[in-house]
Amino acid sequence: MQQLDKKFTSIGHYITKIFQHVMNFSLITLGIILLFLLIRELVDFFRLIFQSDDDYKIFLESILIFFLYFEFIAMIVKYFKEDYHFPLRYFIYIGITAMIRQIIVSHDEPVATLLNSLVILILIICNFIINLTPRERPESKWYFKIKE
């Protein structure tokens, strides 16, 4: 029975290693694709600057799309730096940027704009809570002190 458990444990270890390598390769490939899209967006951004077109919506949309690509690439880099872990706050940053882009692009409906603004407020509150609570809960912080 014990040898059977050891076999399953070693097989499970190899399977998770294979999955980890496939996922790492996929993320590196996605990062390279996003890098090319980021460069293309930067070229389009400079093209918009030098055009005489005064449509500021397209200009702002281009900036926000650039930041979305940038944030996704930064999140992939952070994944490898943090020992294969995606920090939750990066997803919140991406969500805030995407909602701001949504408001800028389609702000014709006031109710939808208000709801999008509320979503941004909720994401900001979540970000505040995440930054308030560290990974390890030190006893010296005022918000974690146990009252005696």
Side-chain angles (χ1 to χ4, degrees), residues 36-55 58-60 62-63 66:
F36 283 121
L37 291 172
L38 178 81
I39 292 170
R40 190 182 79 183
E41 196 63 40
L42 191 62
V43 168
D44 290 344
F45 177 71
F46 281 118
R47 190 177 309 137
L48 282 173
I49 289 175
F50 294 116
Q51 284 180 349
S52 63
D53 192 18
D54 290 335
D55 193 8
I58 296 173
F59 185 71
L60 289 175
S62 176
I63 290 172
F66 176 83

Side-chain angles (χ1 to χ4, degrees), residues 44-106:
D44 290 344
F45 177 71
F46 281 118
R47 190 177 309 137
L48 282 173
I49 289 175
F50 294 116
Q51 284 180 349
S52 63
D53 192 18
D54 290 335
D55 193 8
Y56 70 93
K57 286 183 190 177
I58 296 173
F59 185 71
L60 289 175
E61 184 179 353
S62 176
I63 290 172
L64 289 172
I65 289 173
F66 176 83
F67 275 110
L68 282 173
Y69 286 135
F70 185 81
E71 286 174 355
F72 275 116
I73 291 170
M75 190 170 63
I76 291 172
V77 169
K78 200 68 167 169
Y79 170 80
F80 288 108
K81 284 186 176 180
E82 299 230 353
D83 295 328
Y84 312 114
H85 170 72
F86 283 117
L88 183 62
R89 66 181 180 274
Y90 281 94
F91 287 111
I92 292 174
Y93 297 153
I94 289 171
I96 291 170
T97 307
M99 293 309 298
I100 291 171
R101 179 184 176 275
Q102 184 67 26
I103 288 173
I104 289 173
V105 170
S106 61

Side-chain angles (χ1 to χ4, degrees), residues 105-123:
V105 170
S106 61
H107 62 276
D108 298 334
E109 296 181 35
V111 175
T113 303
L114 179 65
L115 291 176
N116 289 338
S117 300
L118 289 175
V119 168
I120 292 172
L121 178 64
I122 292 170
L123 288 172

